[in-house]
Each structure stands twice: as structure tokens, then as C-alpha cells.
Amino acid sequence: MSANVLSEVRQALPRLSSAEARVADAIIADPGIVVDLTITELAIVCNTSLSTVARFCQTLGYSGYREFRMEVAGALSREAAERDRFGLADSDIGADDSAEDVVAKIAFHEVLAIEQTVKGLDTVVLDQVVDAIVGAGHVDLYGFGASGLTAQDLQQKLARIGISAACSVDVHLALVSAALRKPTDVAIGISHSGLTAETHHTLEVARDAGATTVAITNSPDSPLAELADFVLTTHARESTYRMGAMSSRIAQLALVDFLFVRVAQRRDDVAAPLRRTREVTASHRIPSRRRPAG
């Protein structure tokens, strides 16, 4: 199971039947209904059958509704404790929230996303991706929209330590690069939902060209993940003001940092290229101007 059963419900959506998806949507909208309602009552609310609810629980890896219900109750209790840590009565941002409330709620969601990503991270897979990057002739990175920022961040980090890496926010250039990949190369696709068509297409082209493929996504059962030899999963949620789009970026950037540092540990020559790149970028800074005394 994942670090948080509520994250698992969101991540399971791509593989659920339409009836099971209604159960998932109801729980995502109000997780408390699992604690408050019996299986019969939940089935009525979701306009489905008892067997569908039971099958939904089993799809997530639980023996039945009772075990799932206990796990949800525990997750809600832990989240309430986290909200207390930030001094929040609730975590959703409202139109009338003060600046202090907005800051606290965003901090809560972003810290929670990183913590849950860490808890759910498969470090064995992480190191398998590291092995692939260290042994690669070239690393291609694909990401568009908010995930494009993460792709560019990893490309810059890898380039700073002398690894051949490319990232283009132009989908046509990304496709050209993907088509030229070789079996000695690594291609990494980054998408929160795992449903971004451009990212899916470029990673598919790179896979067909023979590259080792990696997906960084919040949805391990998504179409993007199906293309990947290795999947690294983040944990971030959506809410009214697109908290998922914000916290997913933070979770992705944290995961990229884990990946980069492990790659750097495997290379003996990182100090020299980091020093050289730092020196050359520093030489192009505008010199500071001090005001004359008096």
C-alpha cells in the first residue's frame, strides 16, 4: 500500500471501473463518509451495489470494507494532527481566507506532499533509475506545463555535473530528440496526472527507439506509467485552488533532488564540473554598485 490510503484512492482511478470510480470520487470529495457510513450506506450514496464497494476496496489491496475503513480513519486522524501542527481547522483554501490562512494552508499541502512522497518512495527503483542515468550516453527529459519546470530543473542539474542531458518545452523538438534515442540512452517523462498527451507521445517515441524509459508521476497506473521501465511516484492532492498543481511541483522537485544527489554520489568527478560551471556563471554577473560614502 502507499504511504496514505487517500493518495492510493486517487492513484487507482485510471484502473477502476465506472462504478468503482463513483465510489472513489465520493471518497475523494469527502473522505469522512467512509468513517461515518456503513458499506450499505456508502453503496446507496454512490448509487452502486455492496459488491462494487467491496470490489473497490479489494482493488486497492484491502481484504474488505472494514480494513479499508480503519485505514481511512487512521489517515484522517494523522492528517488532523498535521493540520494542528500548522494551526489549521481545515486545509482547503476559501475565497475569504486571510493572507495568513493562505500561507499556512499552502505550506501544509506542500509539506504534506513531500512527506508522503518520501514515505511512499521505492528507493530500490530510485537507485535503478540512478544506475540507468549514470550508465547512459544521453538523458532526455520530457515535461510540459508545470511539469516542464521540473524537467528543466533536472536537465540543468545533470548538465552541471557533466552528464549529457536535454529538455525542450517545444513538443516538436522533443519528438525529434526522442526519435533519435538509442538503447544506451535514458528518457524521463514527467506528468502529475500521467495523462499529458505530449509527454506520453514523446516517451512512447523514445521507448520505441530503444531508450530506457522512466516516468515520474502521481498516478502509477496511468498510461504514462505503462510506457516506463521504471516508475517513481509522487503524492500530491488537488483542491479548489489547484493545490495539486502547486504541491505536485514541490513533490516532483523534491524527488528530482533525491535522484540528482544519488547520481552525484555515484560519480567521482562532480566537484570539478560544479566548480567550473559556478565560475563561468559568476563571471557574467552584474557587479554590485556601492553608493559613495556621505
Side-chain angles (χ1 to χ4, degrees):
M1 293 305 301
S2 71
N4 187 299
V5 62
L6 301 178
S7 294
E8 181 72 12
V9 172
R10 296 181 189 90
Q11 292 171 348
L13 278 170
R15 69 177 190 268
L16 297 178
S17 67
S18 58
E20 291 171 342
R22 288 201 301 273
V23 179
D25 288 338
I27 294 170
I28 290 169
D30 182 10
I33 63 175
V34 176
V35 179
D36 297 335
L37 303 180
T38 65
I39 186 172
T40 302
E41 292 168 335
L42 181 60
I44 293 171
V45 167
C46 299
N47 192 29
T48 191
S49 64
L50 295 180
S51 60
T52 296
V53 177
R55 189 167 58 249
F56 163 79
C57 297
Q58 291 164 1
T59 299
L60 267 64
Y62 296 97
S63 59
Y65 186 67
R66 181 179 180 182
E67 184 185 3
F68 175 70
R69 191 182 194 185
M70 291 176 62
E71 190 67 24
V72 171
L76 292 175
S77 177
R78 290 189 294 272
E79 187 166 315
E82 288 295 308
R83 289 198 303 270
D84 287 343
R85 179 156 66 107
F86 284 82
L88 300 174
D90 66 88
S91 58
D92 285 336
I93 295 177
D96 297 326
D97 279 348
S98 66
E100 290 80 4
D101 289 337
V102 169
V103 169
K105 290 180 179 181
I106 290 176
F108 165 76
H109 279 281
E110 295 190 349
V111 169
L112 193 64
I114 293 174
E115 290 179 345
Q116 292 184 354
T117 296
V118 169
K119 290 177 182 177
L121 182 63
D122 189 329
T123 54
V124 172
V125 175
L126 179 74
D127 275 350
Q128 288 174 332
V129 175
V130 169
D131 290 340
I133 291 174
V134 170
H138 176 83
V139 179
D140 242 14
L141 294 122
Y142 316 127
F144 301 92
S147 294
L149 300 174
T150 306
Q152 292 175 63
D153 182 73
L154 181 54
Q155 185 272 328
Q156 292 172 13
K157 283 179 164 66
L158 294 176
R160 286 286 304 272
I161 59 174
I163 291 178
S164 175
C167 174
S168 176
V169 295
D170 184 307
V171 66
H172 295 107
L173 293 178
L175 285 168
V176 168
S177 185
L180 298 176
R181 290 309 99 225
K182 302 174 182 178
T184 53
D185 297 335
V186 171
I188 302 175
I190 305 173
S191 169
H192 172 69
S193 66
L195 299 173
T196 305
E198 295 86 350
T199 308
H200 184 276
H201 191 187
T202 48
L203 194 66
E204 184 178 34
V205 170
R207 182 202 61 181
D208 293 345
T212 297
T213 52
V214 179
I216 296 177
T217 180
N218 205 71
S219 183
D221 296 305
S222 63
L224 183 70
E226 292 177 359
L227 292 173
D229 297 307
F230 304 105
V231 179
L232 294 171
T233 307
T234 57
H235 295 267
R237 69 173 61 179
E238 298 277 1
S239 74
T240 308
Y241 287 87
R242 296 298 311 280
M243 292 301 303
M246 291 184 254
S247 58
S248 68
R249 184 187 67 243
I250 296 300
Q252 287 174 356
L253 289 172
L255 202 157
V256 160
D257 285 344
F258 307 152
L259 192 59
F260 169 72
V261 171
R262 290 296 286 161
V263 169
Q265 285 179 316
R266 293 282 305 278
R267 291 174 64 90
D268 298 326
D269 57 346
V270 295
L274 282 173
R275 184 180 64 254
R276 288 196 298 271
T277 54
R278 183 168 57 248
E279 288 172 351
V280 74
T281 54
S283 68
H284 282 272
R285 293 174 185 164
I286 299 174
S288 61
R289 295 181 180 180
R290 294 183 177 179
R291 293 184 178 182

